[in-house]
Amino acid sequence: MAKDILKYLREKEYVSGEVLAQKLGISRVAVWKQIQRLKDMEYKITSDQNMGYCLVSRPDLLIPQEVQRGLSTTYIGEKIFYFSELESTNIIAKEKALHRIEAIDEGTIIIAERQTAGKGRLGRKWFSPAGGIWLSIILYPQLPPSYIPRVTLMTAVAAVKAIEICTQIKSQIKWPNDILINKKKVCGILTEMSAELDIINWVVVGVGINVNIDHRDFPEGIQENTISLKEVSEKEVLRVKLAQTFLQEFEKYYNKLKRKEFPSILEEWKLHSHTLGRKIRVDIGERIVTGEAVDINEEGALILKKEDGELIKIISGTIV
Ligand code: BTN
């Protein structure tokens, strides 16, 4: 109901309570209650005794009606589950994908204003206060499990593009999934999946972007390696716009991936790479290997040239 009221308020400068009540077939008191609900959701609505209600400004909250308004995707974000606070969007997304609690379509999104137990890679915590974009996308790609690293890489390209479109800030990708500005992390990606031997059951792509977060709010220990878009641009960034742009870019690149056009995505990844050409140390679980990052291959694996000249392929690891 509140959604319908918003629709009418957007169409005209002022709409009277009487007209709203008539159009929606409800009482004027019910209209008033819905207006209060919208105000609680941080919509600024003024009222004039003679002219009625006027929508002055919309909140920069990631509520579905704001994110979906003007969203030009065909399936990514068509269904959004919104929470002002939850543990982790990836946890909820996985539960939904796993149990198919409701008919969960590909492209369904879980989005939260805050996470109390945000998850990073390798079991790390992900600091997720209000002001960021914390979302997870549920996918059912008809692709072999070996494609998962490519999903992470294409997500990173979508994030870099969206950040640049919305803020003009250029960021770099540290293999496999960190987005950096001035060598500090602004965005992280956590891809989780369930697969059989040769088929993926579901994939959850979790994306966290530090948007309007003040540096002093980051916990000590990560402060020196973390940055937010607000800090770089020295002004608040419209999160709704950024979330929409990211979803649009995501759908574009994901469709390319499904059409097996990964090589062109990889070209773009390389253009934004922070890793290639550098001497790095990579933690591959059982040991740390050192060498020059010379390439990313068509599977999304990092090709490292060791000091003795040997080339090794790393599918999964962390640059330390
Ligand atoms: C990393 O760089 O370690 C990955 C961080 C991923 C964070 C996002 S925020 C939204 C989604 N929900 C989570 O709990 N984690 C991911």
Side-chain angles (χ1 to χ4, degrees):
M1 193 61 76
K3 207 172 164 183
D4 296 327
I5 291 189
L6 268 182
K7 189 177 129 247
Y8 290 115
L9 290 181
R10 281 189 185 117
E11 281 170 6
K12 278 190 175 170
E13 204 178 340
Y14 276 95
V15 189
S16 73
E18 202 178 328
V19 168
L20 285 172
Q22 262 175 18
K23 290 209 188 252
L24 299 171
I26 56 174
S27 69
R28 286 181 64 175
V29 175
V31 168
W32 180 85
K33 279 192 186 151
Q34 294 301 330
I35 295 279
Q36 298 314 308
R37 266 195 66 201
L38 288 168
K39 285 182 175 173
D40 290 343
M41 288 175 352
E42 295 180 28
Y43 284 90
K44 271 208 185 116
I45 299 170
T46 55
S47 47
D48 178 282
Q49 262 194 339
N50 300 320
M51 294 194 290
Y53 298 108
C54 171
L55 177 65
V56 178
S57 70
R58 303 193 310 265
D60 192 32
L61 291 179
L62 300 167
I63 40 186
Q65 59 256 41
E66 290 303 321
V67 175
Q68 284 168 334
R69 190 169 162 258
L71 182 68
S72 65
T73 55
T74 55
Y75 60 99
I76 300 288
E78 204 190 346
K79 171 102 184 134
I80 299 181
F81 291 91
Y82 169 80
F83 298 82
S84 44
E85 184 176 290
L86 50 46
E87 265 180 281
S88 152
T89 55
N90 263 40
I91 292 179
I92 300 288
K94 280 194 296 181
E95 275 172 14
K96 290 199 184 288
L98 191 64
H99 304 300
R100 306 271 168 103
I101 299 168
E102 290 127 88
I104 299 292
D105 294 324
E106 170 151 274
T108 297
I109 286 172
I110 317 296
I111 203 160
E113 299 293 343
R114 283 178 302 277
Q115 298 184 116
T116 53
K119 287 170 40 157
R121 280 180 78 225
L122 310 169
R124 293 188 192 122
K125 286 188 181 146
W126 181 261
F127 176 63
S128 326
I133 294 178
W134 324 122
L135 64 82
S136 302
I137 307 174
I138 298 171
L139 306 170
Y140 307 110
Q142 307 266 301
L143 296 166
S146 61
Y147 259 73
I148 290 301
R150 284 169 251 207
V151 173
T152 302
L153 263 55
M154 62 123 292
T155 305
V157 174
V160 163
K161 288 272 178 179
I163 290 172
E164 185 166 359
I165 293 169
C166 288
T167 64
Q168 282 77 53
I169 298 169
K170 291 195 190 302
S171 53
Q172 284 88 40
I173 313 168
K174 180 173 140 194
W175 183 87
N177 64 345
D178 289 352
I179 312 291
L180 309 179
I181 298 174
N182 302 336
K183 299 189 188 153
K184 295 181 181 193
K185 189 152 166 173
V186 71
C187 167
I189 298 159
L190 177 64
T191 310
E192 300 186 87
M193 68 152 176
S194 150
E196 312 286 318
L197 206 56
D198 54 359
I199 186 86
I200 294 172
N201 296 322
W202 51 259
V203 177
V204 165
V205 182
V207 181
I209 311 178
N210 300 328
V211 188
N212 296 322
I213 303 173
D214 287 321
H215 200 78
R216 60 176 179 275
D217 293 338
F218 287 112
E220 267 179 43
I222 64 162
Q223 246 186 31
E224 50 287 350
N225 301 320
T226 311
I227 201 160
S228 77
L229 293 175
K230 179 182 166 185
E231 288 177 272
V232 186
S233 55
E234 295 179 343
K235 59 176 190 280
E236 298 251 332
V237 171
L238 287 174
R239 289 183 312 144
V240 168
K241 185 82 206 129
L242 180 57
Q244 288 173 327
T245 311
F246 168 70
L247 297 176
Q248 282 156 198
E249 291 300 305
F250 185 93
E251 185 173 289
K252 187 173 94 189
Y253 287 104
Y254 181 55
N255 284 344
K256 277 192 184 204
L257 188 73
K258 289 197 286 189
R259 292 196 303 263
K260 307 267 164 76
E261 291 172 19
F262 182 67
S264 71
I265 303 174
L266 186 56
E267 285 314 306
E268 293 201 52
W269 191 99
K270 288 180 184 176
L271 287 177
H272 301 286
S273 165
H274 181 266
T275 303
L276 295 180
R278 285 178 193 268
K279 282 227 156 170
I280 53 171
R281 297 168 69 230
V282 189
D283 185 344
I284 55 169
E286 70 274 19
R287 66 200 161 96
I288 290 182
V289 285
T290 308
E292 187 192 336
V294 286
D295 202 6
I296 307 291
N297 75 4
E298 66 290 345
E299 295 165 58
L302 174 67
I303 308 296
L304 199 73
K305 187 176 182 186
K306 292 201 327 191
E307 261 155 33
D308 60 8
E310 186 197 351
L311 292 178
I312 58 166
K313 180 174 105 174
I314 304 174
I315 303 247
S316 156
T318 305
I319 298 175
V320 289

